[in-house]
Amino acid sequence: MRIGIDAGGTLIKIVYEENGLHFKRIEYNEAEQAMNWLKTLAPSADYVLTGGKAAILKEAFFPEAAIIPEFTATCEGALHLIKEAGHPHKRLLLVNIGTGTSWYKIEDGKHERILGSGVGGGTFMGLGRIFTGKADHQRLAGLAAEGNREKADLLVSDIYGDRSWLPSTAGQNKRVKDVEAPIDGKLTAGNFANITGEPSEEDLMAAAANMIAETTVLLTKGAADIHHSEKIYYIGSSLQGNEILKKGLLTYSRMTGLDAAFLPNGEYSGALGAYLSS
Ligand code: ATP
Ligand code: MG
């Protein structure tokens, strides 16, 4: 039996075979129990580990395990999923939104990490804790889905169309249309820059998800142009149940002319790559 484990900064992902491939996600507070369960279930399995905490996991639970580099595992696993889905593009860009975000270009099966950013799923969790005191990912994602980011963000139309600062005699109530702005009035002028709004927890979480989506797509657009990428795949557990983040990624990708998609089971790319390598 082979078992691939990706011990990332936030979550442990496991891929194993038992009448078909199984995918499992585990939080670190349940790691000890889960690893001991694995060892009882498959004492003689070949373990292949990857991710930032692979060496520590090996030391603590699987002294015989092999370790493969995170970047190789992620790209090999993702390539496998892409081929299975039947999408043979020559030049791909893989965007892994984990705790932070990594960009990989994949060309003719060869891969290279080309860019990284500290803005990712960890940013969503961290801002979530500051804004709401809550630490549960699904709850924070649920709040984001209920919010209105415009209560927290400053839009281009807020700058170009805003007459509220004028004395009322000078025509405060005249409407200035978005069209007078040199760019789309709905674009963000400043994330969290609406300092006169009174955003709720929901609004703040919606703005956080939007900021992560917007920033990620802007970096993706730059990388895709430089490397002539034909197709973009967004992966990583950050997408899990975070509909506002996903919607933002697709909307901004389309807006910037990127052909982007989510890869089913993409968050298991690293674990799958480890599983496949043994
Ligand atoms: P990295 O690759 O950066 O070392 P990682 O591999 O642990 O980190 P992922 O598992 O891809 O990263 O994604 C982690 C993110 O997934 C979290 O920051 C959070 O936004 C989101 N997430 C989804 N489900 C959970 C969960 N149950 N607990 C914590 N975070 C979750
Ligand atoms: Mg990871």
Side-chain angles (χ1 to χ4, degrees):
M1 193 181 185
R2 291 180 298 169
I3 301 179
I5 306 181
D6 173 10
T10 307
L11 295 170
I12 300 176
K13 280 75 64 184
I14 305 173
V15 171
Y16 63 96
E17 225 246 89
E18 200 183 25
N19 305 317
L21 275 190
H22 290 257
F23 302 90
K24 258 184 161 319
R25 177 176 30 244
I26 283 166
E27 295 180 20
Y28 278 96
N29 60 16
E30 48 190 22
E32 184 175 11
Q33 199 187 352
M35 295 307 125
N36 288 330
W37 169 78
L38 264 184
K39 284 207 294 190
T40 325
L41 197 79
S44 56
D46 289 328
Y47 287 91
V48 183
L49 315 180
T50 192
K53 296 191 197 289
I56 298 169
L57 205 70
K58 175 182 160 98
E59 192 183 278
F61 300 103
F62 310 107
E64 310 291 323
I67 293 184
I68 71 162
E70 177 182 349
F71 303 164
T72 310
T74 305
C75 292
E76 293 294 342
L79 256 183
H80 184 87
L81 292 170
I82 291 164
K83 280 184 191 149
E84 258 192 349
H87 302 307
H89 285 91
K90 198 169 138 63
R91 286 187 298 271
L92 300 170
L93 194 62
L94 190 64
V95 186
N96 185 12
I97 314 175
T99 310
T101 305
S102 282
W103 283 259
Y104 303 93
K105 79 167 179 176
I106 305 183
E107 218 174 294
D108 298 323
K110 287 201 288 282
H111 45 75
E112 184 189 345
R113 184 179 185 275
I114 53 169
L115 187 65
S117 147
V119 176
T123 312
F124 185 76
M125 299 297 284
L127 289 177
R129 204 173 70 103
I130 294 167
F131 292 152
T132 75
K134 298 177 182 71
D136 180 78
H137 180 258
Q138 287 320 112
R139 263 190 94 183
L140 292 171
L143 289 175
E146 312 255 284
N148 173 10
R149 70 150 184 130
E150 295 182 15
K151 297 252 178 72
D153 288 344
L154 198 71
L155 305 187
V156 168
S157 60
D158 290 330
I159 295 178
Y160 274 79
D162 172 39
R163 290 169 173 260
S164 64
W165 51 278
L166 283 174
S168 55
T169 49
Q172 198 194 95
N173 294 323
K174 272 187 203 157
R175 279 248 156 261
V176 176
K177 290 204 185 99
D178 285 355
V179 84
E180 292 181 19
I183 50 175
D184 186 343
K186 282 284 168 203
L187 288 171
T188 312
N191 298 101
F192 294 102
N194 183 358
I195 51 170
T196 56
E198 283 177 19
S200 64
E201 284 186 350
E202 288 86 350
D203 300 333
L204 290 167
M205 290 318 296
N210 179 77
M211 180 179 71
I212 296 162
E214 221 173 55
T215 306
T216 302
V217 172
L218 288 174
L219 290 166
T220 300
K221 172 65 177 164
D225 281 357
I226 291 170
H227 297 288
H228 308 289
S229 311
E230 297 163 337
K231 181 90 189 181
I232 320 296
Y233 286 105
Y234 294 112
I235 62 169
S237 313
S238 304
L239 307 171
Q240 207 55 38
N242 197 336
E243 297 309 318
I244 295 298
L245 178 61
K246 289 171 73 175
K247 192 171 151 211
L249 287 168
L250 286 188
T251 303
Y252 293 122
S253 293
R254 212 171 297 128
M255 200 184 273
T256 54
L258 295 172
D259 182 2
F262 303 114
L263 193 56
N265 286 323
E267 67 271 35
Y268 295 99
S269 293
L272 180 62
Y275 168 86
L276 293 171
S277 79
S278 60

